[in-house]
Amino acid sequence: MSDFNNQISQAGSGVAEDTSVMLPPERKVVFYNDDFTTMEFVVDVLVSIFNKSHDEAESLMRMVHEQGSSVVGVYTYDIAVSRTNLTIQAARKNGFPLRVEVE
């Protein structure tokens, strides 16, 4: 038994110490400007779905309005797609054609 314990202590924990953890790739969520979706709705979605502060949401909304589009967040693929789908569903439910894409 002491021979076994000796081998264990020499081998360490037996767990490989791989410090290169593979993080999932991140994707950008982009909002596009249109002439129908209200600025208030865009701000509401950015606060409620994308967890932005009201000030940050207003700033992003202005960028979308003035530049035609803006990245509103960078997330792992699953989160980006989920938030994009929630946004599109909310927009359609409220009669807005808001275009949101994952890049």
Side-chain angles (χ1 to χ4, degrees), residues 24-80:
E26 294 188 325
R27 306 298 173 133
K28 298 174 186 174
V29 176
V30 181
F31 277 34
Y32 292 89
N33 190 45
D34 64 66
D35 293 332
F36 304 101
T37 305
T38 64
M39 294 178 186
E40 181 181 323
F41 178 79
V42 172
V43 170
D44 288 346
V45 164
L46 290 169
V47 169
S48 64
I49 295 177
F50 290 86
N51 301 316
K52 304 294 183 187
S53 70
H54 194 270
D55 289 341
E56 186 178 7
E58 283 189 350
S59 177
L60 286 166
M61 176 274 299
R62 276 190 237 103
M63 287 177 62
V64 171
H65 181 68
E66 293 168 3
Q67 298 176 10
S69 67
S70 180
V71 174
V72 299
V74 179
Y75 308 94
T76 60
Y77 177 79
D78 289 342
I79 292 171

Side-chain angles (χ1 to χ4, degrees), residues 1-22:
M1 185 143 136
S2 63
D3 212 21
F4 178 73
N5 287 338
N6 202 13
Q7 288 175 357
I8 295 285
S9 60
Q10 287 177 0
S13 66
V15 176
E17 291 189 33
D18 184 7
T19 57
S20 61
V21 176
M22 293 293 294

